[in-house]
mmCIF file with all atom_site columns, all heavy atoms in Angstrom:
data_model
loop_
_atom_site.group_PDB
_atom_site.id
_atom_site.type_symbol
_atom_site.label_atom_id
_atom_site.label_alt_id
_atom_site.label_comp_id
_atom_site.label_asym_id
_atom_site.label_entity_id
_atom_site.label_seq_id
_atom_site.pdbx_PDB_ins_code
_atom_site.Cartn_x
_atom_site.Cartn_y
_atom_site.Cartn_z
_atom_site.occupancy
_atom_site.B_iso_or_equiv
_atom_site.pdbx_formal_charge
_atom_site.auth_seq_id
_atom_site.auth_comp_id
_atom_site.auth_asym_id
_atom_site.auth_atom_id
_atom_site.pdbx_PDB_model_num
ATOM 1   N N   . MET A 1 1  ? 22.454 -35.352 -82.137 1.00 98.00 ? 270 MET A N   1
ATOM 2   C CA  . MET A 1 1  ? 21.766 -34.099 -81.965 1.00 98.00 ? 270 MET A CA  1
ATOM 3   C C   . MET A 1 1  ? 20.410 -34.187 -82.696 1.00 98.00 ? 270 MET A C   1
ATOM 4   O O   . MET A 1 1  ? 20.337 -34.678 -83.767 1.00 98.00 ? 270 MET A O   1
ATOM 5   C CB  . MET A 1 1  ? 22.635 -32.894 -82.472 1.00 98.00 ? 270 MET A CB  1
ATOM 6   C CG  . MET A 1 1  ? 23.224 -33.012 -83.830 1.00 98.00 ? 270 MET A CG  1
ATOM 7   S SD  . MET A 1 1  ? 24.190 -31.694 -84.318 1.00 98.00 ? 270 MET A SD  1
ATOM 8   C CE  . MET A 1 1  ? 22.980 -30.478 -84.797 1.00 98.00 ? 270 MET A CE  1
ATOM 9   N N   . GLY A 1 2  ? 19.401 -33.700 -81.957 1.00 97.00 ? 271 GLY A N   1
ATOM 10  C CA  . GLY A 1 2  ? 18.097 -33.787 -82.470 1.00 97.00 ? 271 GLY A CA  1
ATOM 11  C C   . GLY A 1 2  ? 17.058 -33.905 -81.377 1.00 97.00 ? 271 GLY A C   1
ATOM 12  O O   . GLY A 1 2  ? 17.385 -33.695 -80.140 1.00 97.00 ? 271 GLY A O   1
ATOM 13  N N   . ALA A 1 3  ? 15.820 -34.249 -81.710 1.00 95.00 ? 272 ALA A N   1
ATOM 14  C CA  . ALA A 1 3  ? 14.720 -34.402 -80.665 1.00 95.00 ? 272 ALA A CA  1
ATOM 15  C C   . ALA A 1 3  ? 14.541 -35.815 -80.367 1.00 95.00 ? 272 ALA A C   1
ATOM 16  O O   . ALA A 1 3  ? 13.912 -36.524 -81.255 1.00 95.00 ? 272 ALA A O   1
ATOM 17  C CB  . ALA A 1 3  ? 13.530 -33.662 -81.248 1.00 95.00 ? 272 ALA A CB  1
ATOM 18  N N   . PRO A 1 4  ? 15.051 -36.398 -79.406 1.00 96.00 ? 273 PRO A N   1
ATOM 19  C CA  . PRO A 1 4  ? 14.880 -37.841 -79.098 1.00 96.00 ? 273 PRO A CA  1
ATOM 20  C C   . PRO A 1 4  ? 13.537 -38.242 -79.010 1.00 96.00 ? 273 PRO A C   1
ATOM 21  O O   . PRO A 1 4  ? 13.141 -39.534 -79.204 1.00 96.00 ? 273 PRO A O   1
ATOM 22  C CB  . PRO A 1 4  ? 15.733 -38.006 -77.882 1.00 96.00 ? 273 PRO A CB  1
ATOM 23  C CG  . PRO A 1 4  ? 15.798 -36.714 -77.139 1.00 96.00 ? 273 PRO A CG  1
ATOM 24  C CD  . PRO A 1 4  ? 15.830 -35.690 -78.300 1.00 96.00 ? 273 PRO A CD  1
ATOM 25  N N   . GLU A 1 5  ? 12.639 -37.448 -78.581 1.00 96.00 ? 274 GLU A N   1
ATOM 26  C CA  . GLU A 1 5  ? 11.257 -37.874 -78.395 1.00 96.00 ? 274 GLU A CA  1
ATOM 27  C C   . GLU A 1 5  ? 10.542 -38.220 -79.644 1.00 96.00 ? 274 GLU A C   1
ATOM 28  O O   . GLU A 1 5  ? 9.453  -38.872 -79.622 1.00 96.00 ? 274 GLU A O   1
ATOM 29  C CB  . GLU A 1 5  ? 10.431 -36.693 -77.714 1.00 96.00 ? 274 GLU A CB  1
ATOM 30  C CG  . GLU A 1 5  ? 10.304 -35.382 -78.480 1.00 96.00 ? 274 GLU A CG  1
ATOM 31  C CD  . GLU A 1 5  ? 11.432 -34.397 -78.137 1.00 96.00 ? 274 GLU A CD  1
ATOM 32  O OE1 . GLU A 1 5  ? 12.499 -34.910 -77.670 1.00 96.00 ? 274 GLU A OE1 1
ATOM 33  O OE2 . GLU A 1 5  ? 11.322 -33.207 -78.592 1.00 96.00 ? 274 GLU A OE2 1
ATOM 34  N N   . VAL A 1 6  ? 11.125 -37.910 -80.829 1.00 96.00 ? 275 VAL A N   1
ATOM 35  C CA  . VAL A 1 6  ? 10.476 -38.219 -82.107 1.00 96.00 ? 275 VAL A CA  1
ATOM 36  C C   . VAL A 1 6  ? 11.013 -39.515 -82.673 1.00 96.00 ? 275 VAL A C   1
ATOM 37  O O   . VAL A 1 6  ? 10.553 -39.938 -83.698 1.00 96.00 ? 275 VAL A O   1
ATOM 38  C CB  . VAL A 1 6  ? 10.600 -37.080 -83.162 1.00 96.00 ? 275 VAL A CB  1
ATOM 39  C CG1 . VAL A 1 6  ? 10.006 -35.842 -82.619 1.00 96.00 ? 275 VAL A CG1 1
ATOM 40  C CG2 . VAL A 1 6  ? 12.113 -36.964 -83.648 1.00 96.00 ? 275 VAL A CG2 1
ATOM 41  N N   . LEU A 1 7  ? 12.003 -40.080 -81.956 1.00 97.00 ? 276 LEU A N   1
ATOM 42  C CA  . LEU A 1 7  ? 12.654 -41.314 -82.362 1.00 97.00 ? 276 LEU A CA  1
ATOM 43  C C   . LEU A 1 7  ? 12.240 -42.547 -81.581 1.00 97.00 ? 276 LEU A C   1
ATOM 44  O O   . LEU A 1 7  ? 11.850 -42.383 -80.483 1.00 97.00 ? 276 LEU A O   1
ATOM 45  C CB  . LEU A 1 7  ? 14.154 -41.153 -82.334 1.00 97.00 ? 276 LEU A CB  1
ATOM 46  C CG  . LEU A 1 7  ? 14.797 -40.097 -83.076 1.00 97.00 ? 276 LEU A CG  1
ATOM 47  C CD1 . LEU A 1 7  ? 16.299 -39.897 -82.737 1.00 97.00 ? 276 LEU A CD1 1
ATOM 48  C CD2 . LEU A 1 7  ? 14.588 -40.211 -84.621 1.00 97.00 ? 276 LEU A CD2 1
ATOM 49  N N   . PRO A 1 8  ? 12.270 -43.717 -82.174 1.00 97.00 ? 277 PRO A N   1
ATOM 50  C CA  . PRO A 1 8  ? 12.069 -44.945 -81.442 1.00 97.00 ? 277 PRO A CA  1
ATOM 51  C C   . PRO A 1 8  ? 12.978 -45.095 -80.242 1.00 97.00 ? 277 PRO A C   1
ATOM 52  O O   . PRO A 1 8  ? 14.183 -44.712 -80.430 1.00 97.00 ? 277 PRO A O   1
ATOM 53  C CB  . PRO A 1 8  ? 12.189 -46.081 -82.395 1.00 97.00 ? 277 PRO A CB  1
ATOM 54  C CG  . PRO A 1 8  ? 12.129 -45.386 -83.756 1.00 97.00 ? 277 PRO A CG  1
ATOM 55  C CD  . PRO A 1 8  ? 12.617 -44.012 -83.580 1.00 97.00 ? 277 PRO A CD  1
ATOM 56  N N   . PRO A 1 9  ? 12.658 -45.623 -79.121 1.00 98.00 ? 278 PRO A N   1
ATOM 57  C CA  . PRO A 1 9  ? 13.484 -45.815 -78.030 1.00 98.00 ? 278 PRO A CA  1
ATOM 58  C C   . PRO A 1 9  ? 14.772 -46.651 -78.344 1.00 98.00 ? 278 PRO A C   1
ATOM 59  O O   . PRO A 1 9  ? 15.859 -46.356 -77.825 1.00 98.00 ? 278 PRO A O   1
ATOM 60  C CB  . PRO A 1 9  ? 12.670 -46.563 -76.981 1.00 98.00 ? 278 PRO A CB  1
ATOM 61  C CG  . PRO A 1 9  ? 11.306 -46.211 -77.255 1.00 98.00 ? 278 PRO A CG  1
ATOM 62  C CD  . PRO A 1 9  ? 11.257 -46.047 -78.839 1.00 98.00 ? 278 PRO A CD  1
ATOM 63  N N   . ARG A 1 10 ? 14.721 -47.536 -79.258 1.00 98.00 ? 279 ARG A N   1
ATOM 64  C CA  . ARG A 1 10 ? 15.813 -48.359 -79.706 1.00 98.00 ? 279 ARG A CA  1
ATOM 65  C C   . ARG A 1 10 ? 16.874 -47.481 -80.290 1.00 98.00 ? 279 ARG A C   1
ATOM 66  O O   . ARG A 1 10 ? 18.076 -47.615 -80.011 1.00 98.00 ? 279 ARG A O   1
ATOM 67  C CB  . ARG A 1 10 ? 15.351 -49.505 -80.647 1.00 98.00 ? 279 ARG A CB  1
ATOM 68  C CG  . ARG A 1 10 ? 16.460 -50.326 -81.213 1.00 98.00 ? 279 ARG A CG  1
ATOM 69  C CD  . ARG A 1 10 ? 16.022 -51.006 -82.539 1.00 98.00 ? 279 ARG A CD  1
ATOM 70  N NE  . ARG A 1 10 ? 15.855 -49.997 -83.589 1.00 98.00 ? 279 ARG A NE  1
ATOM 71  C CZ  . ARG A 1 10 ? 14.841 -50.097 -84.405 1.00 98.00 ? 279 ARG A CZ  1
ATOM 72  N NH1 . ARG A 1 10 ? 13.842 -50.924 -84.364 1.00 98.00 ? 279 ARG A NH1 1
ATOM 73  N NH2 . ARG A 1 10 ? 14.793 -49.195 -85.431 1.00 98.00 ? 279 ARG A NH2 1
ATOM 74  N N   . THR A 1 11 ? 16.471 -46.584 -81.242 1.00 98.00 ? 280 THR A N   1
ATOM 75  C CA  . THR A 1 11 ? 17.422 -45.734 -81.914 1.00 98.00 ? 280 THR A CA  1
ATOM 76  C C   . THR A 1 11 ? 18.124 -44.763 -80.862 1.00 98.00 ? 280 THR A C   1
ATOM 77  O O   . THR A 1 11 ? 19.254 -44.540 -80.949 1.00 98.00 ? 280 THR A O   1
ATOM 78  C CB  . THR A 1 11 ? 16.682 -44.880 -83.056 1.00 98.00 ? 280 THR A CB  1
ATOM 79  O OG1 . THR A 1 11 ? 16.116 -45.840 -83.900 1.00 98.00 ? 280 THR A OG1 1
ATOM 80  C CG2 . THR A 1 11 ? 17.690 -44.010 -83.734 1.00 98.00 ? 280 THR A CG2 1
ATOM 81  N N   . VAL A 1 12 ? 17.260 -44.206 -80.005 1.00 98.00 ? 281 VAL A N   1
ATOM 82  C CA  . VAL A 1 12 ? 17.834 -43.318 -79.023 1.00 98.00 ? 281 VAL A CA  1
ATOM 83  C C   . VAL A 1 12 ? 18.859 -44.062 -78.103 1.00 98.00 ? 281 VAL A C   1
ATOM 84  O O   . VAL A 1 12 ? 19.940 -43.436 -77.822 1.00 98.00 ? 281 VAL A O   1
ATOM 85  C CB  . VAL A 1 12 ? 16.648 -42.782 -78.025 1.00 98.00 ? 281 VAL A CB  1
ATOM 86  C CG1 . VAL A 1 12 ? 17.249 -41.924 -76.919 1.00 98.00 ? 281 VAL A CG1 1
ATOM 87  C CG2 . VAL A 1 12 ? 15.723 -41.976 -78.834 1.00 98.00 ? 281 VAL A CG2 1
ATOM 88  N N   . ALA A 1 13 ? 18.543 -45.209 -77.786 1.00 98.00 ? 282 ALA A N   1
ATOM 89  C CA  . ALA A 1 13 ? 19.495 -46.051 -76.929 1.00 98.00 ? 282 ALA A CA  1
ATOM 90  C C   . ALA A 1 13 ? 20.820 -46.295 -77.638 1.00 98.00 ? 282 ALA A C   1
ATOM 91  O O   . ALA A 1 13 ? 21.936 -46.203 -77.022 1.00 98.00 ? 282 ALA A O   1
ATOM 92  C CB  . ALA A 1 13 ? 18.823 -47.448 -76.552 1.00 98.00 ? 282 ALA A CB  1
ATOM 93  N N   . VAL A 1 14 ? 20.819 -46.604 -78.923 1.00 98.00 ? 283 VAL A N   1
ATOM 94  C CA  . VAL A 1 14 ? 21.988 -46.810 -79.745 1.00 98.00 ? 283 VAL A CA  1
ATOM 95  C C   . VAL A 1 14 ? 22.814 -45.590 -79.786 1.00 98.00 ? 283 VAL A C   1
ATOM 96  O O   . VAL A 1 14 ? 24.075 -45.566 -79.611 1.00 98.00 ? 283 VAL A O   1
ATOM 97  C CB  . VAL A 1 14 ? 21.616 -47.299 -81.144 1.00 98.00 ? 283 VAL A CB  1
ATOM 98  C CG1 . VAL A 1 14 ? 22.840 -47.430 -82.070 1.00 98.00 ? 283 VAL A CG1 1
ATOM 99  C CG2 . VAL A 1 14 ? 20.986 -48.793 -81.057 1.00 98.00 ? 283 VAL A CG2 1
ATOM 100 N N   . LEU A 1 15 ? 22.164 -44.392 -80.083 1.00 98.00 ? 284 LEU A N   1
ATOM 101 C CA  . LEU A 1 15 ? 22.918 -43.199 -80.134 1.00 98.00 ? 284 LEU A CA  1
ATOM 102 C C   . LEU A 1 15 ? 23.485 -42.756 -78.808 1.00 98.00 ? 284 LEU A C   1
ATOM 103 O O   . LEU A 1 15 ? 24.663 -42.324 -78.814 1.00 98.00 ? 284 LEU A O   1
ATOM 104 C CB  . LEU A 1 15 ? 21.945 -42.068 -80.653 1.00 98.00 ? 284 LEU A CB  1
ATOM 105 C CG  . LEU A 1 15 ? 21.421 -42.257 -82.115 1.00 98.00 ? 284 LEU A CG  1
ATOM 106 C CD1 . LEU A 1 15 ? 20.344 -41.165 -82.358 1.00 98.00 ? 284 LEU A CD1 1
ATOM 107 C CD2 . LEU A 1 15 ? 22.531 -42.067 -83.163 1.00 98.00 ? 284 LEU A CD2 1
ATOM 108 N N   . GLU A 1 16 ? 22.774 -42.992 -77.765 1.00 98.00 ? 285 GLU A N   1
ATOM 109 C CA  . GLU A 1 16 ? 23.314 -42.648 -76.462 1.00 98.00 ? 285 GLU A CA  1
ATOM 110 C C   . GLU A 1 16 ? 24.564 -43.515 -76.107 1.00 98.00 ? 285 GLU A C   1
ATOM 111 O O   . GLU A 1 16 ? 25.478 -43.074 -75.517 1.00 98.00 ? 285 GLU A O   1
ATOM 112 C CB  . GLU A 1 16 ? 22.240 -42.742 -75.368 1.00 98.00 ? 285 GLU A CB  1
ATOM 113 C CG  . GLU A 1 16 ? 21.165 -41.673 -75.472 1.00 98.00 ? 285 GLU A CG  1
ATOM 114 C CD  . GLU A 1 16 ? 20.036 -41.821 -74.495 1.00 98.00 ? 285 GLU A CD  1
ATOM 115 O OE1 . GLU A 1 16 ? 19.982 -42.909 -73.887 1.00 98.00 ? 285 GLU A OE1 1
ATOM 116 O OE2 . GLU A 1 16 ? 19.294 -40.842 -74.311 1.00 98.00 ? 285 GLU A OE2 1
ATOM 117 N N   . GLN A 1 17 ? 24.405 -44.880 -76.441 1.00 98.00 ? 286 GLN A N   1
ATOM 118 C CA  . GLN A 1 17 ? 25.516 -45.752 -76.182 1.00 98.00 ? 286 GLN A CA  1
ATOM 119 C C   . GLN A 1 17 ? 26.753 -45.301 -76.980 1.00 98.00 ? 286 GLN A C   1
ATOM 120 O O   . GLN A 1 17 ? 27.879 -45.348 -76.530 1.00 98.00 ? 286 GLN A O   1
ATOM 121 C CB  . GLN A 1 17 ? 25.160 -47.130 -76.595 1.00 98.00 ? 286 GLN A CB  1
ATOM 122 C CG  . GLN A 1 17 ? 26.168 -48.188 -76.222 1.00 98.00 ? 286 GLN A CG  1
ATOM 123 C CD  . GLN A 1 17 ? 26.347 -48.262 -74.702 1.00 98.00 ? 286 GLN A CD  1
ATOM 124 O OE1 . GLN A 1 17 ? 25.393 -48.381 -73.949 1.00 98.00 ? 286 GLN A OE1 1
ATOM 125 N NE2 . GLN A 1 17 ? 27.631 -48.223 -74.186 1.00 98.00 ? 286 GLN A NE2 1
ATOM 126 N N   . ALA A 1 18 ? 26.546 -44.905 -78.232 1.00 98.00 ? 287 ALA A N   1
ATOM 127 C CA  . ALA A 1 18 ? 27.709 -44.483 -79.029 1.00 98.00 ? 287 ALA A CA  1
ATOM 128 C C   . ALA A 1 18 ? 28.402 -43.194 -78.419 1.00 98.00 ? 287 ALA A C   1
ATOM 129 O O   . ALA A 1 18 ? 29.656 -43.109 -78.385 1.00 98.00 ? 287 ALA A O   1
ATOM 130 C CB  . ALA A 1 18 ? 27.196 -44.093 -80.368 1.00 98.00 ? 287 ALA A CB  1
ATOM 131 N N   . GLU A 1 19 ? 27.610 -42.287 -77.841 1.00 98.00 ? 288 GLU A N   1
ATOM 132 C CA  . GLU A 1 19 ? 28.142 -41.165 -77.155 1.00 98.00 ? 288 GLU A CA  1
ATOM 133 C C   . GLU A 1 19 ? 29.013 -41.638 -75.922 1.00 98.00 ? 288 GLU A C   1
ATOM 134 O O   . GLU A 1 19 ? 30.081 -41.170 -75.698 1.00 98.00 ? 288 GLU A O   1
ATOM 135 C CB  . GLU A 1 19 ? 27.024 -40.188 -76.659 1.00 98.00 ? 288 GLU A CB  1
ATOM 136 C CG  . GLU A 1 19 ? 26.365 -39.376 -77.738 1.00 98.00 ? 288 GLU A CG  1
ATOM 137 C CD  . GLU A 1 19 ? 25.585 -38.226 -77.255 1.00 98.00 ? 288 GLU A CD  1
ATOM 138 O OE1 . GLU A 1 19 ? 25.874 -37.796 -76.132 1.00 98.00 ? 288 GLU A OE1 1
ATOM 139 O OE2 . GLU A 1 19 ? 24.692 -37.734 -77.969 1.00 98.00 ? 288 GLU A OE2 1
ATOM 140 N N   . ARG A 1 20 ? 28.376 -42.459 -75.095 1.00 98.00 ? 289 ARG A N   1
ATOM 141 C CA  . ARG A 1 20 ? 29.181 -43.030 -73.916 1.00 98.00 ? 289 ARG A CA  1
ATOM 142 C C   . ARG A 1 20 ? 30.449 -43.700 -74.305 1.00 98.00 ? 289 ARG A C   1
ATOM 143 O O   . ARG A 1 20 ? 31.428 -43.515 -73.697 1.00 98.00 ? 289 ARG A O   1
ATOM 144 C CB  . ARG A 1 20 ? 28.259 -43.936 -73.133 1.00 98.00 ? 289 ARG A CB  1
ATOM 145 C CG  . ARG A 1 20 ? 27.073 -43.225 -72.366 1.00 98.00 ? 289 ARG A CG  1
ATOM 146 C CD  . ARG A 1 20 ? 26.504 -44.106 -71.455 1.00 98.00 ? 289 ARG A CD  1
ATOM 147 N NE  . ARG A 1 20 ? 25.753 -45.269 -71.987 1.00 98.00 ? 289 ARG A NE  1
ATOM 148 C CZ  . ARG A 1 20 ? 24.514 -45.285 -72.444 1.00 98.00 ? 289 ARG A CZ  1
ATOM 149 N NH1 . ARG A 1 20 ? 23.749 -44.173 -72.203 1.00 98.00 ? 289 ARG A NH1 1
ATOM 150 N NH2 . ARG A 1 20 ? 23.974 -46.283 -72.921 1.00 98.00 ? 289 ARG A NH2 1
ATOM 151 N N   . ASP A 1 21 ? 30.408 -44.487 -75.396 1.00 98.00 ? 290 ASP A N   1
ATOM 152 C CA  . ASP A 1 21 ? 31.569 -45.293 -75.752 1.00 98.00 ? 290 ASP A CA  1
ATOM 153 C C   . ASP A 1 21 ? 32.692 -44.486 -76.287 1.00 98.00 ? 290 ASP A C   1
ATOM 154 O O   . ASP A 1 21 ? 33.844 -44.865 -76.321 1.00 98.00 ? 290 ASP A O   1
ATOM 155 C CB  . ASP A 1 21 ? 31.127 -46.402 -76.741 1.00 98.00 ? 290 ASP A CB  1
ATOM 156 C CG  . ASP A 1 21 ? 30.255 -47.485 -76.223 1.00 98.00 ? 290 ASP A CG  1
ATOM 157 O OD1 . ASP A 1 21 ? 30.265 -47.607 -74.997 1.00 98.00 ? 290 ASP A OD1 1
ATOM 158 O OD2 . ASP A 1 21 ? 29.724 -48.225 -76.992 1.00 98.00 ? 290 ASP A OD2 1
ATOM 159 N N   . THR A 1 22 ? 32.403 -43.181 -76.698 1.00 98.00 ? 291 THR A N   1
ATOM 160 C CA  . THR A 1 22 ? 33.395 -42.429 -77.469 1.00 98.00 ? 291 THR A CA  1
ATOM 161 C C   . THR A 1 22 ? 33.746 -41.142 -76.663 1.00 98.00 ? 291 THR A C   1
ATOM 162 O O   . THR A 1 22 ? 34.489 -40.317 -77.196 1.00 98.00 ? 291 THR A O   1
ATOM 163 C CB  . THR A 1 22 ? 32.928 -42.123 -78.842 1.00 98.00 ? 291 THR A CB  1
ATOM 164 O OG1 . THR A 1 22 ? 31.727 -41.234 -78.794 1.00 98.00 ? 291 THR A OG1 1
ATOM 165 C CG2 . THR A 1 22 ? 32.686 -43.297 -79.664 1.00 98.00 ? 291 THR A CG2 1
ATOM 166 N N   . CYS A 1 23 ? 33.182 -40.878 -75.484 1.00 97.00 ? 292 CYS A N   1
ATOM 167 C CA  . CYS A 1 23 ? 33.301 -39.601 -74.829 1.00 97.00 ? 292 CYS A CA  1
ATOM 168 C C   . CYS A 1 23 ? 34.644 -39.288 -74.473 1.00 97.00 ? 292 CYS A C   1
ATOM 169 O O   . CYS A 1 23 ? 35.110 -38.064 -74.339 1.00 97.00 ? 292 CYS A O   1
ATOM 170 C CB  . CYS A 1 23 ? 32.361 -39.573 -73.638 1.00 97.00 ? 292 CYS A CB  1
ATOM 171 S SG  . CYS A 1 23 ? 32.804 -40.762 -72.311 1.00 97.00 ? 292 CYS A SG  1
ATOM 172 N N   . ASP A 1 24 ? 35.555 -40.262 -74.354 1.00 97.00 ? 293 ASP A N   1
ATOM 173 C CA  . ASP A 1 24 ? 36.999 -39.951 -73.929 1.00 97.00 ? 293 ASP A CA  1
ATOM 174 C C   . ASP A 1 24 ? 37.960 -40.050 -75.157 1.00 97.00 ? 293 ASP A C   1
ATOM 175 O O   . ASP A 1 24 ? 39.140 -39.837 -74.986 1.00 97.00 ? 293 ASP A O   1
ATOM 176 C CB  . ASP A 1 24 ? 37.454 -41.029 -72.971 1.00 97.00 ? 293 ASP A CB  1
ATOM 177 C CG  . ASP A 1 24 ? 36.708 -40.943 -71.678 1.00 97.00 ? 293 ASP A CG  1
ATOM 178 O OD1 . ASP A 1 24 ? 36.369 -39.864 -71.254 1.00 97.00 ? 293 ASP A OD1 1
ATOM 179 O OD2 . ASP A 1 24 ? 36.500 -41.983 -71.069 1.00 97.00 ? 293 ASP A OD2 1
ATOM 180 N N   . ARG A 1 25 ? 37.465 -40.134 -76.398 1.00 97.00 ? 294 ARG A N   1
ATOM 181 C CA  . ARG A 1 25 ? 38.295 -40.174 -77.548 1.00 97.00 ? 294 ARG A CA  1
ATOM 182 C C   . ARG A 1 25 ? 38.718 -38.755 -77.888 1.00 97.00 ? 294 ARG A C   1
ATOM 183 O O   . ARG A 1 25 ? 38.143 -37.780 -77.583 1.00 97.00 ? 294 ARG A O   1
ATOM 184 C CB  . ARG A 1 25 ? 37.509 -40.810 -78.716 1.00 97.00 ? 294 ARG A CB  1
ATOM 185 C CG  . ARG A 1 25 ? 37.248 -42.277 -78.452 1.00 97.00 ? 294 ARG A CG  1
ATOM 186 C CD  . ARG A 1 25 ? 36.677 -42.896 -79.624 1.00 97.00 ? 294 ARG A CD  1
ATOM 187 N NE  . ARG A 1 25 ? 36.293 -44.303 -79.352 1.00 97.00 ? 294 ARG A NE  1
ATOM 188 C CZ  . ARG A 1 25 ? 35.674 -45.094 -80.291 1.00 97.00 ? 294 ARG A CZ  1
ATOM 189 N NH1 . ARG A 1 25 ? 35.261 -44.599 -81.403 1.00 97.00 ? 294 ARG A NH1 1
ATOM 190 N NH2 . ARG A 1 25 ? 35.402 -46.397 -79.886 1.00 97.00 ? 294 ARG A NH2 1
ATOM 191 N N   . THR A 1 26 ? 39.925 -38.647 -78.506 1.00 94.00 ? 295 THR A N   1
ATOM 192 C CA  . THR A 1 26 ? 40.506 -37.395 -78.816 1.00 94.00 ? 295 THR A CA  1
ATOM 193 C C   . THR A 1 26 ? 40.458 -36.981 -80.315 1.00 94.00 ? 295 THR A C   1
ATOM 194 O O   . THR A 1 26 ? 41.016 -35.974 -80.678 1.00 94.00 ? 295 THR A O   1
ATOM 195 C CB  . THR A 1 26 ? 42.019 -37.405 -78.327 1.00 94.00 ? 295 THR A CB  1
ATOM 196 O OG1 . THR A 1 26 ? 42.687 -38.439 -78.999 1.00 94.00 ? 295 THR A OG1 1
ATOM 197 C CG2 . THR A 1 26 ? 42.018 -37.563 -76.879 1.00 94.00 ? 295 THR A CG2 1
ATOM 198 N N   . GLY A 1 27 ? 39.782 -37.846 -81.119 1.00 97.00 ? 296 GLY A N   1
ATOM 199 C CA  . GLY A 1 27 ? 39.670 -37.517 -82.544 1.00 97.00 ? 296 GLY A CA  1
ATOM 200 C C   . GLY A 1 27 ? 38.613 -36.478 -82.762 1.00 97.00 ? 296 GLY A C   1
ATOM 201 O O   . GLY A 1 27 ? 38.113 -35.769 -81.844 1.00 97.00 ? 296 GLY A O   1
ATOM 202 N N   . ALA A 1 28 ? 38.381 -36.248 -84.024 1.00 98.00 ? 297 ALA A N   1
ATOM 203 C CA  . ALA A 1 28 ? 37.335 -35.240 -84.453 1.00 98.00 ? 297 ALA A CA  1
ATOM 204 C C   . ALA A 1 28 ? 35.997 -35.600 -83.825 1.00 98.00 ? 297 ALA A C   1
ATOM 205 O O   . ALA A 1 28 ? 35.628 -36.772 -83.614 1.00 98.00 ? 297 ALA A O   1
ATOM 206 C CB  . ALA A 1 28 ? 37.212 -35.150 -85.955 1.00 98.00 ? 297 ALA A CB  1
ATOM 207 N N   . THR A 1 29 ? 35.190 -34.541 -83.557 1.00 98.00 ? 298 THR A N   1
ATOM 208 C CA  . THR A 1 29 ? 33.854 -34.727 -83.108 1.00 98.00 ? 298 THR A CA  1
ATOM 209 C C   . THR A 1 29 ? 32.902 -34.951 -84.285 1.00 98.00 ? 298 THR A C   1
ATOM 210 O O   . THR A 1 29 ? 33.030 -34.219 -85.263 1.00 98.00 ? 298 THR A O   1
ATOM 211 C CB  . THR A 1 29 ? 33.378 -33.483 -82.272 1.00 98.00 ? 298 THR A CB  1
ATOM 212 O OG1 . THR A 1 29 ? 34.140 -33.391 -81.132 1.00 98.00 ? 298 THR A OG1 1
ATOM 213 C CG2 . THR A 1 29 ? 31.876 -33.706 -81.845 1.00 98.00 ? 298 THR A CG2 1
ATOM 214 N N   . VAL A 1 30 ? 32.144 -35.979 -84.229 1.00 98.00 ? 299 VAL A N   1
ATOM 215 C CA  . VAL A 1 30 ? 31.205 -36.278 -85.291 1.00 98.00 ? 299 VAL A CA  1
ATOM 216 C C   . VAL A 1 30 ? 29.792 -36.153 -84.779 1.00 98.00 ? 299 VAL A C   1
ATOM 217 O O   . VAL A 1 30 ? 29.330 -36.980 -83.945 1.00 98.00 ? 299 VAL A O   1
ATOM 218 C CB  . VAL A 1 30 ? 31.337 -37.726 -85.901 1.00 98.00 ? 299 VAL A CB  1
ATOM 219 C CG1 . VAL A 1 30 ? 30.433 -37.981 -87.015 1.00 98.00 ? 299 VAL A CG1 1
ATOM 220 C CG2 . VAL A 1 30 ? 32.815 -37.870 -86.419 1.00 98.00 ? 299 VAL A CG2 1
#
């Protein structure tokens, strides 16, 4: 959560990948 436009593309890509990799998990939301 935040403004991706203020971050380097590399950081945005890592964060987006983490979301995709965990979207089906049932544990706590972080």
Side-chain angles (χ1 to χ4, degrees):
M270 49 184 282
E274 63 271 15
V275 304
L276 300 174
R279 179 199 67 221
T280 303
V281 174
V283 171
L284 293 171
E285 290 178 345
Q286 187 63 52
E288 287 195 21
R289 288 193 294 269
D290 290 345
T291 63
C292 64
D293 294 327
R294 294 183 182 175
T295 58
T298 297
V299 180

